[in-house]
């Protein structure tokens, strides 16, 4: 039983050969199809759980499992807001593994760091396609870290964006943003927070605000048709949007139960939350009027997205001959004998230890 | 950031070079130290959760995480009772991964199939050392599959066992057992269930009884000092021992909350359950009198055991130069730019796609 492992070099080679734009376009399409076909009676996705701690750095390490009847995907994802400054590492570090239903065999392991950023961008693009004005030209970004890059990339593949307004509480992170997204050939302007929120057609919030320190935005005037992808809120007490803005908006979520526990929807009663992203994608025409109204996609992260992005990378890896096959599980020739093939040098080993003693 | 992966060949080489007996002795010792030092304020272990399903084969796939302050271990373990007959595979197939607290980096991946069998045996040996008569000479096994091999191995390293009575509902599995444990040079007799239960000093139950079909044992006379390691019960409704036997016995558990949900202790009220295995190992003298009485170790499996057995294998692998180092996480040179090192051939790729279109 072989396990297919994509190394970081394999992942880099894969992305370079497929191309970032093509990969993002495929991911958005695959994710749309998966969400369209999503059936909770067939695909089981529990609310994620994990460990949170204060030392050696305040952070989280969570597991996000999904079972689709033939395969279980488990993403292990960590969040450490101090990683970039303290360790030169991304805020989010992750790996995704897949297991065969019916045996439990580990099918494969891939990076989840880049893949999480990609799929989070793709999910915002899908929510925006249903809820934002189709002619949206200005995109705002609150928080200019790693997730902001893929938010902009995914949404710019879906809308005629020609101007990007960005804000980060750390001026250095804002200042470095234009160079990071130069490959998209868009006009990027660093602005103050109110200016960003007030002017744009689509807004993405992806900050590392501490739990209890938010919301990042205060109530203020926005474009009447503003669509917000709220990406950062993913822990009890962590909030980016004010409750008053949420209450004025049409609110959708990737995963309602989780959003009420960890997302912006912590601030809402269940009855104040609109249909889920999968409802929207199944019947986009039904929500056409929302495009003229304020709307929020509360994106806490959904294991279905991880399954889709892993599948896409594994498919390309197979086609391109990338990755290594390693047998990891020790499966003895006799299923009833865990020691079946282990007796080889046992006697020698015992003799050696007797000599050594 | 490298991930150390032990292949099945590495695992086989490691076991052959260390020796099965030496490895089991070390594991029992390491596990005793870990349980002795276990502090629930420092090491967090949630009750396991997972998916259970009927197709393609009735089974379970569960995750068992543990966080000790510097490392998170996650065992993914599957249970499919029909695996041996239908697929020639073990009932339990598993892998164990470790992650660094503070980054979430995947430190390593090892087999969990052999390792689960080993650590489950080691846990029964430790419980038996506290609760069974020290001069126990006869061991009984109800269920003669893979787990029975390591139960016998671990306990025979701790007691002067000279006779083994075994029973399995499948006569072929019982018949093949003596050959599987021939390396231990013990007298092994296939017997009927009542005979096994009635005669032995220590009994291990490790069956694949279906949930709802148990208990496997009925109330009957036993040696007054019998110690039972009940290993098989690990799912709601799955039971090996009758409630009346449990009520007559001193009952300990590896993980009380989990035992009440999945173990024999499903049949008991919380007040009927004795101190935990860690209580016993911290103060063995306090429970000396129990050695003359009926006792049961309700072993549902504890993620601390997985952490200990993975650590042992990783330590030997490092010493022996076994395993491969692979960089899996895609960590860009700029933590704020997931695409930092991915632009290389992007333009070429786009051009190629334009030619192809």
């Amino acid at each position: 039983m072989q396990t297919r492992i994509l190394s970081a070099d394999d992942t880099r080679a894969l992305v370079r050969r497929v191309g970032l734009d093509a990969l993002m376009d495929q991911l958005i399409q695959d994710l749309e199809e998966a969400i369209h076909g999503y059936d909770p009676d067939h695909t089981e996705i529990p609310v994620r759980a994990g460990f949170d701690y204060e030392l050696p750095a305040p952070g989280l390490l969570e597991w996000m499992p999904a079972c689709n009847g033939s395969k279980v995907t488990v993403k292990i994802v960590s969040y450490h807001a101090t990683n970039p400054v303290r360790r030169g590492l991304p805020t989010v570090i992750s790996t995704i593994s897949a297991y065969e239903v019916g045996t439990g065999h580990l099918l494969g392991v891939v990076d989840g760091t880049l893949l999480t950023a990609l799929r989070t961008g793709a999910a915002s693009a899908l929510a925006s396609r249903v809820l934002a004005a189709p002619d949206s030209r200005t995109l705002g970004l609150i928080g200019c870290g790693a997730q902001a890059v893929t938010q902009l990339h995914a949404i710019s593949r879906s809308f005629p964006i020609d101007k990007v307004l960005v804000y980060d509480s750390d001026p250095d992170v804002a200042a470095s943003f234009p160079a990071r997204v130069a490959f998209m050939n868009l006009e990027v302007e660093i602005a103050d927070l109110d200016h960003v929120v007030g002017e744009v057609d689509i807004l993405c919030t992806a900050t590392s605000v501490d739990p209890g320190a938010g919301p990042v935005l205060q109530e203020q005037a926005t474009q009447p048709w503003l669509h917000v992808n709220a990406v950062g809120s993913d822990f009890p007490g962590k909030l980016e949007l004010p409750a008053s803005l949420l209450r004025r908006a049409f609110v959708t979520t990737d995963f309602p139960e989780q959003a009420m526990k960890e997302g912006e929807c912590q601030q809402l009663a269940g009855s104040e939350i609109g249909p889920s992203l999968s409802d929207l994608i199944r019947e986009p025409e039904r929500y056409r009027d929302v495009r003229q109204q304020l709307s929020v996609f509360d994106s806490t992260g959904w294991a279905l997205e991880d399954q889709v992005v892993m599948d896409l990378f594994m498919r390309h890896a197979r086609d391109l001959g990338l990755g290594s096959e390693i047998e990891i599980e020790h499966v003895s020739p006799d299923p009833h004998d865990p020691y079946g093939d282990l007796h080889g040098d046992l006697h020698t080993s015992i003799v050696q230890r007797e000599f050594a003693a």
Side-chain angles (χ1 to χ4, degrees), chain A residues 4-13 109-111 322-324:
Chain A
R4 189 172 199 89
I5 295 181
L6 292 203
S7 70
D9 279 342
D10 293 325
T11 298
R12 273 184 283 267
V109 185
V110 299
D111 165 65
L322 294 167
S324 314

Side-chain angles (χ1 to χ4, degrees), chain A residues 128 130-137 159-160 201-202 225 227 290-292:
Chain A
S128 303
V130 182
L131 298 178
D135 57 349
S136 294
R137 296 192 165 269
F159 291 86
D201 301 316
I202 301 175
W225 55 80
H227 171 69
V290 183
R291 295 176 179 180
Q292 280 87 55

